């Protein structure tokens, strides 16, 4: 099975100029643990992520909810797999880096979806 077969699609995205408050509202509304940060002019180009861990870290550092996603998110070392990679590649990446999400990209780098641990658990249940 390929990554495209189990990914969550479409990914929930946010632009870097949004506030932490706006971003956390999106996380809660969609019951997800990761927002993909995209360029305002190109919503298919991922430039970062804002995870639940990023939000907790910002709150622990007493950041006001008015800080931007650019200030609170992660913008280097984005972890991803390609849509046609086997599902096992997503699991290996998550385990290697100790994360709960990976981006799913087209070969040209465009954002296609996200795979979460929740998606992998569903996949494992189907495979048994």
């Amino acid at each position: 099975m390929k990554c495209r077969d189990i990914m969550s699609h479409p990914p929930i995205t946010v632009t870097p100029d949004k506030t932490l408050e706006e971003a956390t509202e999106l996380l809660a509304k969609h019951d997800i643990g990761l927002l993909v940060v995209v360029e305002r002019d190109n919503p298919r180009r991922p430039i970062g992520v804002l995870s639940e861990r990023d939000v907790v870290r910002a709150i622990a550092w007493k950041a006001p909810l008015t800080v931007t996603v650019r200030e609170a998110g992660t913008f280097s070392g984005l972890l991803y797999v390609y849509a046609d990679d086997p599902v096992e590649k997503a699991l290996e990446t998550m385990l290697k880096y100790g994360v709960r999400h990976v981006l799913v990209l087209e070969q040209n780098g465009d954002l296609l979806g996200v795979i979460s641990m929740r998606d992998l658990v569903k996949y494992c249940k189907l495979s048994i």
Side-chain angles (χ1 to χ4, degrees):
M1 191 168 284
K2 303 211 179 288
C3 288
R4 74 170 62 250
D5 299 324
I6 71 160
M7 70 182 181
S8 296
H9 177 78
I12 308 301
T13 62
V14 66
T15 55
D17 58 318
K18 295 297 183 190
T19 66
L20 190 58
E21 181 176 20
E22 292 169 311
T24 55
E25 287 172 0
L26 280 173
L27 288 169
K29 176 183 177 185
H30 295 283
D31 192 28
I32 56 174
L34 183 91
L35 295 172
V36 183
V37 185
V38 295
E39 296 175 352
R40 177 174 287 293
D41 298 334
N42 186 355
R44 296 203 30 116
R45 183 65 57 189
I47 59 172
V49 295
L50 182 78
S51 68
E52 291 172 318
R53 290 178 184 176
D54 292 326
V55 172
V56 168
R57 201 173 294 120
I59 292 170
W61 293 338
K62 309 286 190 246
L65 292 177
T66 56
V67 301
T68 64
V69 168
R70 182 180 309 285
E71 297 168 284
T74 300
F75 289 86
S76 62
L78 294 181
L79 299 175
Y80 62 89
V81 293
Y82 291 110
D84 290 325
D85 285 343
V87 170
E88 293 77 14
K89 173 99 184 218
L91 178 59
E92 289 169 10
T93 301
M94 289 183 198
L95 291 173
K96 180 177 180 180
Y97 293 98
V99 297
R100 296 178 295 200
H101 303 86
V102 292
L103 306 182
V104 180
L105 305 180
E106 301 266 13
Q107 286 294 327
N108 66 1
D110 281 354
L111 178 64
L112 192 59
V114 173
I115 294 178
S116 68
M117 279 296 187
R118 187 184 303 173
D119 296 322
L120 286 171
V121 168
K122 288 178 191 173
Y123 164 73
C124 289
K125 285 182 179 180
L126 293 174
S127 298
I128 295 177

